[in-house]
């Protein structure tokens, strides 16, 4: 699979990649072991600090790794990786090394222990900022502390999960900038 | 603009429409006045109860209407409505009646006072379930109490906001159902 050479990207601009709602691959690490999970239930929550909220149930092998390490990386896969994404979501890190099984390349992050995934054009290093919503909502509040993005394509062809094994693939783009008030951009 | 004849839709299945991450139109009502706002920062949080979390700042005219009425409707617009969506996001309900200005048709909801938008193929009646995260995160936890969806298209051509006035338009779909374990569907 293709890998991307990523560059630093401003953390307060990550809405470009997350607000459209792609399925993402969350990588984590704890005590020498690494794992990857798929995640579709997430939202941007603030520009600065760059905050993301996400629902992860304790049924996931990654849950305890993220909770204990208080870190993870959100990687945005593209449509070319669709089968890999489905595969990752349908096996457990308790049984398999997902990097190995799916031929993915871990890359060292700068501020967290969890690895970036080289095959994804966007990777966001995150620290867990708030665990107080875990018990009631299984909801992690994360802060993106460092962002990496391939300069091209500006808008990666992302996957968007609809349930039932069906993914929507990102289509074209419409620029309505001229309709926006400057303070709304 | 085209209107849709919507039917009852199971509230626990609304991930089909929200998990892909579309920009949505949130309608609200309070003391005889109605309003509409655009919203891009939302996530599904649970199937049953059907829970949705969303970020709405108090800078929005809708904020107090939703907080006080403890109700709103999440409407999913299509690509044909792109200019309307941008227009709604760039004016305030404090100054204009958005239903009137944008020629949208309010329809009576069943369980809440806020109106459905007839021009949207999907409308989700919501009650505010938890306001305890407003002060720290401007985050509403909603429960979808009644869902309405046009039977066709199964997957509406939604808009996905990337910032900077640019919207991604939903493209085609990939069915990878055969790769899924039954319990993951």
């Amino acid at each position: 699979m293709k890998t991307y050479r990523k560059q630093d990207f401003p953390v307060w601009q990550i809405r470009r990649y997350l607000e459209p709602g792609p399925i993402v691959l969350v990588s984590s690490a704890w005590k020498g072991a690494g794992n990857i999970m798929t995640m579709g239930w997430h939202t941007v929550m603030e520009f600065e600090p760059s905050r993301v909220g996400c629902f992860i149930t304790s049924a996931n092998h990654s849950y305890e790794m993220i909770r204990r390490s208080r870190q993870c990386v959100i990687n945005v896969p593209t449509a070319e990786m669709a089968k890999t994404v489905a595969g990752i979501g349908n096996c457990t890190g308790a049984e398999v090394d997902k990097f190995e099984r799916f031929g993915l390349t871990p890359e060292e992050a700068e501020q967290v222990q969890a690895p970036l995934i080289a095959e994804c054009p966007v990777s966001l290093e995150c620290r867990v900022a708030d665990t107080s919503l875990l018990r009631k909502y299984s909801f992690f509040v994360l802060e993106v502390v460092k962002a990496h993005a391939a300069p091209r394509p500006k808008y990666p062809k992302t996957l968007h999960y609809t349930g039932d094994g069906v993914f929507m693939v990102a289509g074209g783009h419409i620029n309505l900038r001229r309709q926006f008030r400057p303070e709304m951009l």
Side-chain angles (χ1 to χ4, degrees), chain A:
Chain A
M1 258 181 303
K2 178 182 177 178
T3 58
Y4 290 87
R5 191 162 300 178
K6 286 169 271 206
Q7 298 179 353
D8 288 356
F9 188 81
V11 292
W12 58 273
Q13 284 184 13
I14 56 115
R15 79 176 315 182
R16 181 195 295 174
Y17 301 114
L18 289 192
E19 186 168 337
I23 192 93
V24 296
L25 299 177
V26 179
S27 47
S28 54
W30 179 243
K31 295 200 171 175
N35 195 28
I36 313 174
M37 64 171 283
T38 53
M39 181 169 79
W41 291 5
H42 57 80
T43 181
V44 180
M45 290 177 75
E46 190 54 273
F47 291 114
E48 242 173 332
S50 178
R51 203 178 274 147
V52 173
C54 60
F55 175 92
I56 299 174
T57 75
S58 55
N60 285 294
H61 186 63
S62 298
Y63 176 90
E64 282 297 331
M65 301 178 79
I66 297 169
R67 193 181 68 81
R68 286 169 193 263
S69 66
R70 297 187 71 91
Q71 302 179 340
C72 65
V73 176
I74 296 175
N75 304 273
V76 182
T78 61
E80 290 71 37
M81 296 173 69
K83 284 184 183 173
T84 300
V85 169
I88 288 170
N90 281 277
C91 65
T92 171
E95 290 164 9
V96 295
D97 177 328
K98 298 199 194 183
F99 277 98
E100 195 177 297
R101 173 176 292 189
F102 297 102
L104 296 173
T105 315
E107 279 183 332
E108 206 166 319
E110 273 186 33
Q111 304 211 14
V112 301
Q113 295 295 317
L116 319 181
I117 299 175
E119 285 76 9
C120 291
V122 176
S123 294
L124 312 174
E125 301 184 25
C126 300
R127 289 187 191 279
V128 174
D130 189 344
T131 55
S132 67
L133 310 176
L134 285 182
R135 219 177 59 155
K136 195 165 181 190
Y137 293 123
S138 286
F139 198 73
F140 283 91
V141 179
L142 306 175
E143 184 184 338
V144 181
V145 292
K146 173 87 193 168
H148 310 261
R152 276 175 306 275
K154 185 170 181 184
Y155 301 109
K157 204 164 184 157
T158 44
L159 292 162
H160 301 252
Y161 193 53
T162 72
D164 285 327
V166 176
F167 295 85
M168 179 269 279
V169 180
H173 290 77
I174 309 177
N175 190 333
L176 295 178
R177 196 179 165 84
R178 288 199 311 180
Q179 250 190 277
F180 278 64
R181 292 187 309 191
E183 70 272 23
M184 299 301 286
L185 288 168

